[in-house]
Amino acid sequence: MVNARFLLTRYAWLSIATALCTIALKTGAFYLTGSVGLLSDAVESLVNLAGAILALAMLIVAARPADEKHPFGHSKAEYFASGFEGLLIILAACGIVYTAAGRFFHPEPLTKVGLGLIVSLGASAANLFTARVLIQAGKKYDSITLEADGKHLMTDVWTSIGVMVGIAFVWVSGWLFIDAFVAAAVALNIFWTGGSLVRRSVDGLMDASLPKEEMRAIDGVMTKYRQEGISFHFLRARRAASKRFISVHMLVPGEWSVHRAHCLAEEFEKEVREALGTAMVTTHLESLDDSESFNHEGEPLPLE
């Protein structure tokens, strides 16, 4: 049976094809008009291509099954793709600011603006289509790589619209310096997007806890069992791309048999998995009647 994660690579290929198409169109629009705003848009498409290529590589790695050296699988590889793409975006933003500064002090007239805008609009339409496909696939398959790539493309769409509006204003008003201002504004937007991707990737690599809504879902399942006299502590939860790992100590009455406690733990783990969609849940059974069950150093903070 083909690993479902391998099937995600087809979306990465779509992103690569779209990036190549938009690079050609936006570069052509820049040469037609001479607009530094359109040049900044073309530079971001180069970043899109680099990010899409790395996303393809990391999706292939993430799809590999667990092995002796990686018993929890390879899903964290997706964070390298989104983090690297974020760094590329930040570098591209710096380059755009440098180019825009030069054009601000030495403005140049724009040419063939109408045709250039039409070409750029075609590139934006291609990005919009691919962005929607990637974001939907990212949410459906719980892939941070596809979701990050899709959101980056969607940001590209909005910045492209901003660039085109700015160039149209320059065309009408004749105020050439506005082109440089638009390019700088695009760079700031790109920089923010890159920083967000880097932060999210670092959180994943550092085993940050699950989002609050998912932690509340786990607590909701535990509440049901608490009403039956069961207690829980030492809850730890983390996420590795599409995979979630939950570990918790379950305290049951000391007179229970191993079989009864184990069956209850299996039911609890099943309900947690159903509440989260997918998860690897590990329970450690302890006795409510043993004081040592409550003696754990470094226990995580309770839920808020």
Side-chain angles (χ1 to χ4, degrees):
M1 182 177 179
V2 179
N3 190 319
R5 307 301 293 178
F6 275 116
L7 298 179
L8 301 185
T9 58
R10 58 187 174 178
Y11 295 103
W13 281 114
L14 172 63
S15 183
I16 290 173
T18 302
L20 290 171
C21 175
T22 55
I23 287 171
L25 290 173
K26 291 180 179 180
T27 302
F30 162 68
Y31 279 112
L32 284 171
T33 63
S35 166
V36 71
L38 287 176
L39 174 62
S40 68
D41 224 8
V43 170
E44 187 176 7
S45 293
L46 286 171
V47 175
N48 293 347
L49 177 61
I53 292 174
L54 184 64
L56 174 62
M58 290 300 99
L59 283 172
I60 293 174
V61 173
R64 294 175 181 172
D67 54 35
E68 185 177 350
K69 288 186 176 181
H70 306 90
F72 291 98
H74 300 77
S75 56
K76 276 194 175 183
E78 291 199 43
Y79 291 119
F80 289 101
S82 57
F84 180 74
E85 186 171 1
L87 290 175
L88 287 177
I89 293 171
I90 292 173
L91 290 175
C94 294
I96 294 169
V97 169
Y98 177 80
T99 304
R103 186 61 66 90
F104 178 78
F105 292 106
H106 304 285
E108 297 179 11
L110 305 184
T111 60
K112 299 181 181 178
V113 174
L115 182 58
L117 290 177
I118 292 174
V119 174
S120 184
L121 184 62
S124 296
N127 272 339
L128 177 61
F129 170 77
T130 303
R132 291 178 63 87
V133 171
L134 293 180
I135 291 174
Q136 290 176 1
K139 292 180 178 179
K140 179 179 179 180
Y141 297 104
D142 207 3
S143 169
I144 185 177
T145 299
L146 292 181
E147 188 177 349
D149 207 13
K151 288 183 177 180
H152 180 202
L153 286 179
M154 187 61 75
T155 300
D156 193 17
V157 171
W158 288 111
T159 54
S160 295
I161 292 174
V163 167
M164 288 186 284
V165 170
I167 292 173
F169 190 79
V170 172
W171 188 21
V172 174
S173 67
W175 296 350
L176 299 179
F177 66 89
I178 291 179
D179 184 37
F181 271 120
V182 170
V186 169
L188 291 175
N189 187 42
I190 294 172
F191 188 87
W192 182 86
T193 301
S196 298
L197 288 178
V198 170
R199 286 194 302 272
R200 187 175 178 186
S201 299
V202 169
D203 281 344
L205 292 172
M206 293 297 292
D207 286 334
S209 182
L210 296 179
K212 288 185 177 181
E213 60 271 17
E214 294 187 1
M215 295 299 290
R216 283 194 289 267
I218 297 172
D219 190 56
V221 176
M222 290 193 298
T223 298
K224 170 186 173 182
Y225 286 83
R226 290 190 186 105
Q227 294 171 353
E228 300 176 12
I230 307 302
S231 182
F232 298 90
H233 65 189
F234 211 65
L235 171 64
R236 290 173 291 181
R238 66 182 178 88
R239 178 175 180 172
S242 62
K243 295 182 179 180
R244 297 169 179 80
F245 299 89
I246 294 91
S247 173
V248 65
H249 290 197
M250 173 184 273
L251 288 74
V252 301
E255 68 271 13
W256 280 21
S257 67
V258 174
H259 175 73
R260 181 179 180 184
H262 175 72
C263 289
L264 188 73
E266 288 288 337
E267 292 177 8
F268 168 76
E269 292 174 9
K270 179 181 178 182
E271 290 190 29
V272 171
R273 285 193 295 268
E274 291 174 348
L276 298 181
T278 57
M280 181 182 291
V281 186
T282 303
T283 53
H284 175 70
L285 289 171
E286 295 181 315
S287 171
L288 280 167
D289 305 323
D290 187 351
S291 60
E292 287 298 317
S293 298
F294 302 89
N295 183 21
H296 294 284
E297 294 183 2
E299 183 163 348
L301 294 174
L303 294 173
E304 294 182 356

